[in-house]
């Protein structure tokens, strides 16, 4: 729908069309960093508390379980890095540079987008939408992780509850920003195939981890309330 509106010239001209708008520069450009640093304390605290209260683990075992769940962030970082590097490689592989002609200059072949930009050229390649990939992946990952609060009971006036409330609200606001900027990307940037492929890769990253690999014993595992504790196959007690 966003692509149809964009191609039909029905999108209003707003500051969001400019890639230098504050939301894009200070949030989307570092979307994984925001997601990582808010999820890190949230996962650590909720996993440790749930292990102590639900599984009745000791301090050491609960801490080890928290470390295991935090490795999901290392997996997410690997997904982010590999996919973004792949996108840049595909754009370099499929692109060509348009440089303003200068009298006396010898025509030059450009191998990468960076080389092209250094000579003030415009690189035309297949640019898979990194925004559509990362924003969809980050939003789904946050939704998976914050679901643990449903199974967590804390004293109303405890300091831990206050900290988790701040983290939860921050993660919710971050998700709202990700969804909003995802819609802006759909309206203002890339063509349909580039956006669709970016979304499909983001969904694949989420599905491949939270719906497949994390169900296996040798993995970071799912957030605790999603695990059937009576199941011998997927129990964290192993």
């Amino acid at each position: 729908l966003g692509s149809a509106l964009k191609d039909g010239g029905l999108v209003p001209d707003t500051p969001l069309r400019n890639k230098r708008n504050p939301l894009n520069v200070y949030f989307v450009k570092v979307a994984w960093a925001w997601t990582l640093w808010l999820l890190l304390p949230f996962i650590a605290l909720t996993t440790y508390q749930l292990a102590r209260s639900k599984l009745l683990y000791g301090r050491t075992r609960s801490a080890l379980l928290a470390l295991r769940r935090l490795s999901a962030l290392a997996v997410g970082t690997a997904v982010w890095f590999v996919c973004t590097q792949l996108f840049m490689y595909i754009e370099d592989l499929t692109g060509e540079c348009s440089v303003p002609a200068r009298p006396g200059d010898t025509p030059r072949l450009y191998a990468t987008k960076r080389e092209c930009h250094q000579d003030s050229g415009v690189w035309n390649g297949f640019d898979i939408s990194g925004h559509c990939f990362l924003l969809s992946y980050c939003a789904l990952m946050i939704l998976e992780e914050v679901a643990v609060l449903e199974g967590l009971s804390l004293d109303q006036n405890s300091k831990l509850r206050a900290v988790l409330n701040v983290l939860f609200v921050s993660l919710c606001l971050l998700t709202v920003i990700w969804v909003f900027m995802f819609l802006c990307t759909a309206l203002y940037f890339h063509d349909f195939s580039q956006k669709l492929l970016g979304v499909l890769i983001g969904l694949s990253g989420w599905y491949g981890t939270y719906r497949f690999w994390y169900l296996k014993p040798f993995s970071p595992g799912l957030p605790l309330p999603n695990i059937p504790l009576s199941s011998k196959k997927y129990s964290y007690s192993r």
Side-chain angles (χ1 to χ4, degrees):
L1 178 60
S3 294
L5 293 173
K6 175 178 176 288
D7 294 341
L10 301 176
V11 180
D13 190 7
T14 70
L16 295 170
R17 185 188 290 271
N18 186 348
K19 292 183 179 181
R20 301 300 300 173
N21 71 78
L23 283 177
N24 194 52
V25 172
Y26 297 112
F27 284 92
V28 179
K29 290 292 185 182
V30 285
W32 181 246
W34 279 106
T35 304
L36 177 69
W37 292 114
L38 284 176
L39 278 180
L40 193 151
F42 184 86
I43 293 174
L45 292 172
T46 53
T47 303
Y48 182 85
Q49 186 64 25
L50 283 164
R52 296 278 287 167
S53 60
K54 299 292 184 181
L55 302 180
L56 304 180
Y57 284 180
R59 293 178 183 272
T60 301
R61 200 172 181 188
S62 297
L64 290 174
L65 182 54
L67 288 175
R68 177 184 175 182
R69 284 260 45 254
L70 284 173
S71 64
L73 297 178
V75 173
T77 301
V79 170
W80 161 74
F81 180 79
V82 170
C83 288
T84 51
Q85 292 299 309
L86 177 63
F87 295 169
M88 289 189 289
Y89 175 75
I90 291 174
E91 187 177 10
D92 286 342
L93 191 66
T94 59
E96 58 181 17
C97 186
S98 299
V99 180
R102 300 186 184 95
D105 281 358
T106 304
R108 175 187 171 188
L109 293 177
Y110 295 86
T112 66
K113 182 178 180 179
R114 176 177 293 183
E115 291 178 1
C116 178
H117 285 175
Q118 285 175 347
D119 279 1
S120 303
V122 177
W123 186 261
N124 299 304
F126 188 74
D127 183 15
I128 300 173
S129 177
H131 281 25
C132 285
F133 152 70
L134 187 57
L135 295 177
S136 60
Y137 181 64
C138 286
L140 288 168
M141 189 172 183
I142 290 172
L143 292 177
E144 290 283 357
E145 296 295 343
V146 299
V148 300
L149 289 182
E150 185 179 358
L152 188 63
S153 57
L154 296 169
D155 294 336
Q156 289 289 337
N157 298 321
S158 69
K159 292 182 179 179
L160 179 58
R161 185 184 183 91
V163 171
L164 288 177
N165 283 341
V166 171
L167 288 172
F168 175 71
V169 171
S170 299
L171 286 165
C172 289
L173 291 174
L174 199 63
T175 305
V176 170
I177 294 174
W178 295 165
V179 173
F180 176 71
M181 292 306 293
F182 179 92
L183 295 175
C184 290
T185 300
L187 288 172
Y188 292 115
F189 305 106
H190 298 279
D191 62 31
F192 177 75
S193 60
Q194 294 167 351
K195 288 180 281 195
L196 178 62
L197 191 53
V199 172
L200 290 177
I201 294 173
L203 292 176
S204 298
W206 160 75
Y207 189 88
T209 51
Y210 284 90
R211 292 294 181 266
F212 181 72
W213 182 31
Y214 290 178
L215 296 176
K216 307 299 181 182
F218 297 101
S219 74
L222 290 171
L224 284 184
N226 294 321
I227 296 294
L229 297 180
S230 59
S231 168
K232 294 182 180 179
K233 185 175 181 181
Y234 301 136
S235 175
Y236 275 92
S237 61
R238 279 193 158 189

